[in-house]
Amino acid sequence: MGLTANKLMDWLFNYLLYPYVIYTCGTIRGGVIMILATMIACLLILKFYDWSQRDWLGIEAIKTLKAYDGGRAGGRIAAWFLQKSEPAAFLFLTVWYDPFITTAYLRKGKFNGMMGRDWRIFFISLLIGNGYWIIACYMGITLVEWAWRGVKGFL
């Protein structure tokens, strides 16, 4: 249930809200708005995760991906990244997931709040992940606008 709710929230946030804000507010202002929105959302989820004392997202399951040797290509790729090093795991989780999952995965212990190292991981993940999404949304919007101008000029 928690994994489904998180996936739905991520999908709505990343594929609807993010492009909409970047399109309507511009790359810079929209990017700042989305960085702040991501920070607030991830910190609230992290707070809830610690408060609930339950691994409702399977963060511990992600840790087990290090040993994955099954037939799914996505699982093998994830295992390869997670086995390499903490920086490789950090980069993979930052781009593939979000600052909450990255921080929860890399922090020492479970449900124990945030220490200095955890805050650094969180904020660097926040900036890198949002940088990725800002660029992706900008490029997607630009491509759609370019294609629309071509279609409009053709008609």
Side-chain angles (χ1 to χ4, degrees), residues 22 27 63 86:
I22 296 295
T27 307
K63 290 180 182 180
E86 276 199 352

Side-chain angles (χ1 to χ4, degrees), residues 1 4 29 38 54 60-63 72 76 92 102 104 107 113 123-124 129 134 137 141 143 149:
M1 180 82 136
T4 301
R29 188 170 26 165
T38 303
R54 297 194 64 156
E60 297 307 311
I62 292 173
K63 290 180 182 180
R72 299 188 74 170
R76 287 193 314 273
F92 171 76
T102 304
R107 71 181 174 176
F123 282 113
I124 294 169
I134 291 165
C137 287
I141 291 165
L143 180 63
R149 280 193 302 271

Side-chain angles (χ1 to χ4, degrees), residues 87-116:
F90 167 84
L91 191 57
F92 171 76
L93 293 170
T94 292
V95 173
W96 198 260
Y97 294 102
D98 60 27
F100 157 63
I101 298 224
T102 304
T103 304
Y105 177 84
L106 290 173
R107 71 181 174 176
K108 307 298 181 202
K110 214 164 66 165
F111 313 122
N112 58 344
M114 302 274 279
M115 304 300 170

Side-chain angles (χ1 to χ4, degrees), residues 4-21 34 133 137:
T4 301
N6 189 59
K7 276 292 190 196
L8 178 62
M9 187 173 67
D10 276 353
W11 191 88
L12 292 170
F13 196 87
N14 292 336
Y15 297 104
L16 294 178
L17 182 63
Y18 221 109
Y20 175 77
V21 171
M34 291 311 297
W133 274 105
C137 287

